[in-house]
mmCIF file of all heavy atoms in Angstrom:
data_model
loop_
_atom_site.group_PDB
_atom_site.id
_atom_site.type_symbol
_atom_site.label_atom_id
_atom_site.label_comp_id
_atom_site.label_asym_id
_atom_site.label_seq_id
_atom_site.Cartn_x
_atom_site.Cartn_y
_atom_site.Cartn_z
ATOM 1 N N ALA Z 1 0.784 -0.553 -9.056
ATOM 2 C CA ALA Z 1 -0.338 -1.480 -8.930
ATOM 3 C C ALA Z 1 -0.164 -2.305 -7.660
ATOM 4 O O ALA Z 1 0.946 -2.586 -7.232
ATOM 5 C CB ALA Z 1 -0.420 -2.393 -10.141
ATOM 6 N N ASN Z 24 -1.217 -12.765 1.137
ATOM 7 C CA ASN Z 24 -0.041 -12.380 0.366
ATOM 8 C C ASN Z 24 -0.379 -11.136 -0.445
ATOM 9 O O ASN Z 24 -1.499 -10.992 -0.930
ATOM 10 C CB ASN Z 24 0.396 -13.523 -0.555
ATOM 11 C CG ASN Z 24 1.036 -14.654 0.222
ATOM 12 O OD1 ASN Z 24 0.359 -15.575 0.661
ATOM 13 N ND2 ASN Z 24 2.336 -14.550 0.421
ATOM 14 N N TYR Z 36 -8.851 -6.162 8.459
ATOM 15 C CA TYR Z 36 -10.149 -5.699 8.933
ATOM 16 C C TYR Z 36 -11.026 -6.915 9.230
ATOM 17 O O TYR Z 36 -10.877 -7.966 8.607
ATOM 18 C CB TYR Z 36 -10.843 -4.838 7.878
ATOM 19 C CG TYR Z 36 -10.308 -3.428 7.763
ATOM 20 C CD1 TYR Z 36 -9.186 -3.150 6.998
ATOM 21 C CD2 TYR Z 36 -10.938 -2.375 8.424
ATOM 22 C CE1 TYR Z 36 -8.701 -1.861 6.906
ATOM 23 C CE2 TYR Z 36 -10.456 -1.075 8.330
ATOM 24 C CZ TYR Z 36 -9.336 -0.826 7.570
ATOM 25 O OH TYR Z 36 -8.857 0.462 7.471
ATOM 26 N N GLN Z 38 -15.195 -8.165 9.817
ATOM 27 C CA GLN Z 38 -16.613 -7.810 9.637
ATOM 28 C C GLN Z 38 -17.473 -8.833 10.354
ATOM 29 O O GLN Z 38 -17.518 -10.008 9.959
ATOM 30 C CB GLN Z 38 -16.968 -7.759 8.157
ATOM 31 C CG GLN Z 38 -18.387 -7.285 7.898
ATOM 32 C CD GLN Z 38 -18.697 -7.199 6.412
ATOM 33 O OE1 GLN Z 38 -18.217 -7.992 5.616
ATOM 34 N NE2 GLN Z 38 -19.512 -6.219 6.031
ATOM 35 N N TYR Z 50 0.053 -2.390 9.530
ATOM 36 C CA TYR Z 50 1.506 -2.299 9.417
ATOM 37 C C TYR Z 50 1.825 -1.069 8.562
ATOM 38 O O TYR Z 50 1.328 -0.932 7.452
ATOM 39 C CB TYR Z 50 2.079 -3.549 8.749
ATOM 40 C CG TYR Z 50 3.498 -3.362 8.301
ATOM 41 C CD1 TYR Z 50 4.547 -3.431 9.218
ATOM 42 C CD2 TYR Z 50 3.798 -3.097 6.978
ATOM 43 C CE1 TYR Z 50 5.860 -3.238 8.822
ATOM 44 C CE2 TYR Z 50 5.108 -2.899 6.564
ATOM 45 C CZ TYR Z 50 6.125 -2.964 7.489
ATOM 46 O OH TYR Z 50 7.421 -2.753 7.092
ATOM 47 N N PHE Z 63 -5.282 -10.592 18.393
ATOM 48 C CA PHE Z 63 -4.746 -10.902 17.070
ATOM 49 C C PHE Z 63 -3.392 -10.218 16.850
ATOM 50 O O PHE Z 63 -3.134 -9.149 17.398
ATOM 51 C CB PHE Z 63 -5.724 -10.467 15.975
ATOM 52 C CG PHE Z 63 -6.906 -11.366 15.828
ATOM 53 C CD1 PHE Z 63 -8.082 -11.100 16.504
ATOM 54 C CD2 PHE Z 63 -6.840 -12.473 14.994
ATOM 55 C CE1 PHE Z 63 -9.180 -11.944 16.373
ATOM 56 C CE2 PHE Z 63 -7.932 -13.311 14.845
ATOM 57 C CZ PHE Z 63 -9.103 -13.046 15.540
ATOM 58 N N LYS Z 78 -3.896 -15.854 15.864
ATOM 59 C CA LYS Z 78 -4.360 -15.712 17.240
ATOM 60 C C LYS Z 78 -4.136 -17.055 17.907
ATOM 61 O O LYS Z 78 -4.531 -18.086 17.358
ATOM 62 C CB LYS Z 78 -5.836 -15.307 17.297
ATOM 63 C CG LYS Z 78 -6.338 -15.102 18.711
ATOM 64 C CD LYS Z 78 -7.754 -14.575 18.735
ATOM 65 C CE LYS Z 78 -8.211 -14.379 20.178
ATOM 66 N NZ LYS Z 78 -9.583 -13.808 20.266
ATOM 67 N N SER Z 80 -5.411 -18.635 20.456
ATOM 68 C CA SER Z 80 -6.517 -19.435 20.964
ATOM 69 C C SER Z 80 -7.836 -18.814 20.516
ATOM 70 O O SER Z 80 -8.203 -17.717 20.941
ATOM 71 C CB SER Z 80 -6.452 -19.479 22.494
ATOM 72 O OG SER Z 80 -7.563 -20.164 23.038
ATOM 73 N N ASN Z 98 -1.005 7.251 -2.780
ATOM 74 C CA ASN Z 98 -2.153 6.529 -3.316
ATOM 75 C C ASN Z 98 -3.154 6.370 -2.194
ATOM 76 O O ASN Z 98 -2.881 5.735 -1.203
ATOM 77 C CB ASN Z 98 -1.674 5.171 -3.818
ATOM 78 C CG ASN Z 98 -2.780 4.355 -4.435
ATOM 79 O OD1 ASN Z 98 -3.944 4.671 -4.310
ATOM 80 N ND2 ASN Z 98 -2.406 3.277 -5.086
ATOM 81 N N LEU Z 101 -7.206 1.818 -1.033
ATOM 82 C CA LEU Z 101 -6.999 0.617 -0.235
ATOM 83 C C LEU Z 101 -7.593 -0.523 -1.027
ATOM 84 O O LEU Z 101 -8.778 -0.487 -1.356
ATOM 85 C CB LEU Z 101 -7.682 0.775 1.123
ATOM 86 C CG LEU Z 101 -7.325 -0.238 2.191
ATOM 87 C CD1 LEU Z 101 -5.873 -0.172 2.547
ATOM 88 C CD2 LEU Z 101 -8.180 -0.004 3.432
ATOM 89 N N PHE Z 103 -8.617 -4.415 -1.228
ATOM 90 C CA PHE Z 103 -8.969 -5.509 -0.328
ATOM 91 C C PHE Z 103 -8.833 -6.860 -1.006
ATOM 92 O O PHE Z 103 -9.037 -6.995 -2.214
ATOM 93 C CB PHE Z 103 -10.413 -5.351 0.147
ATOM 94 C CG PHE Z 103 -10.602 -4.273 1.175
ATOM 95 C CD1 PHE Z 103 -10.790 -2.955 0.790
ATOM 96 C CD2 PHE Z 103 -10.596 -4.570 2.534
ATOM 97 C CE1 PHE Z 103 -10.963 -1.948 1.731
ATOM 98 C CE2 PHE Z 103 -10.772 -3.577 3.485
ATOM 99 C CZ PHE Z 103 -10.947 -2.271 3.075
ATOM 100 N N LEU Z 109 -14.178 -17.034 8.924
ATOM 101 C CA LEU Z 109 -13.690 -17.867 10.022
ATOM 102 C C LEU Z 109 -14.869 -18.427 10.800
ATOM 103 O O LEU Z 109 -15.714 -17.667 11.297
ATOM 104 C CB LEU Z 109 -12.798 -17.055 10.949
ATOM 105 C CG LEU Z 109 -12.291 -17.793 12.203
ATOM 106 C CD1 LEU Z 109 -11.354 -18.929 11.825
ATOM 107 C CD2 LEU Z 109 -11.606 -16.823 13.161
ATOM 108 N N ASN Z 112 -15.751 -23.655 15.995
ATOM 109 C CA ASN Z 112 -16.615 -24.745 16.467
ATOM 110 C C ASN Z 112 -16.425 -24.987 17.954
ATOM 111 O O ASN Z 112 -15.304 -24.982 18.448
ATOM 112 C CB ASN Z 112 -16.292 -26.024 15.691
ATOM 113 C CG ASN Z 112 -16.429 -25.834 14.201
ATOM 114 O OD1 ASN Z 112 -17.468 -25.385 13.721
ATOM 115 N ND2 ASN Z 112 -15.387 -26.161 13.459
#
Side-chain angles (χ1 to χ4, degrees):
Chain Z
N24 287 90
Y36 283 83
Q38 185 178 34
Y50 166 78
F63 285 93
K78 182 174 180 178
S80 176
N98 182 348
L101 193 62
F103 285 85
L109 176 66
N112 304 307

